[in-house]
Amino acid sequence: MGKRSPRHAVSCICRLACLTLSVWVFSLAGCGAAAYSYNIVRAARSVEQAKQVDAEKLSPFEMTLAKAYLAKSREESAEASYQDAVRFAKLSRASADKAAARSRGAKKTAASGAGR
């Protein structure tokens, strides 16, 4: 058996590094989709919960913003821009939660004013 040259060892190391990098990149791509799925479900749920407390009527600005962010999140995910999609899903959820809180506050104020 012949002796292998140092060039062969470098070549093997380079191949191994490329393979490791490829596996790492493909695993990150899967994580982006998973993070998006998790966040879009939470955002959509928050928008629905805000609708249930009449936030569309009592807090129209925040609800419009929440729906626009939700739509933009879905658009970004369709283009496989998962990082942006996650960011917009989080913004949607925050806007929907704010709309729901304002709506509940408006209802409490109206109820306390009616009881006087």
Side-chain angles (χ1 to χ4, degrees), residues 37-115:
S37 296
Y38 172 77
N39 283 288
I40 196 71
V41 166
R42 293 178 73 191
R45 188 176 302 141
S46 289
V47 168
E48 286 304 313
Q49 288 173 348
K51 285 179 182 178
Q52 291 174 359
V53 292
D54 294 325
E56 288 177 304
K57 185 174 80 173
L58 299 171
S59 189
F61 177 77
E62 286 81 5
M63 277 304 291
T64 300
L65 201 56
K67 289 186 218 175
Y69 282 141
L70 191 62
K72 185 65 176 171
S73 177
R74 289 179 174 144
E75 180 184 317
E76 291 296 326
S77 75
E79 297 172 5
S81 297
Y82 294 115
Q83 188 174 14
D84 290 333
V86 167
R87 181 170 51 93
F88 285 118
K90 287 179 179 180
L91 288 169
S92 173
R93 183 171 181 230
S95 295
D97 290 346
K98 186 175 182 180
R102 282 189 161 194
S103 181
R104 287 184 195 105
K107 284 184 175 186
K108 284 182 184 178
T109 301
S112 66

Side-chain angles (χ1 to χ4, degrees), residues 1-19:
M1 277 195 150
K3 212 173 175 186
R4 296 199 177 188
S5 70
R7 266 187 154 164
H8 178 66
V10 169
S11 176
C12 287
I13 291 171
C14 286
R15 282 189 214 140
L16 182 61
C18 287
L19 178 64

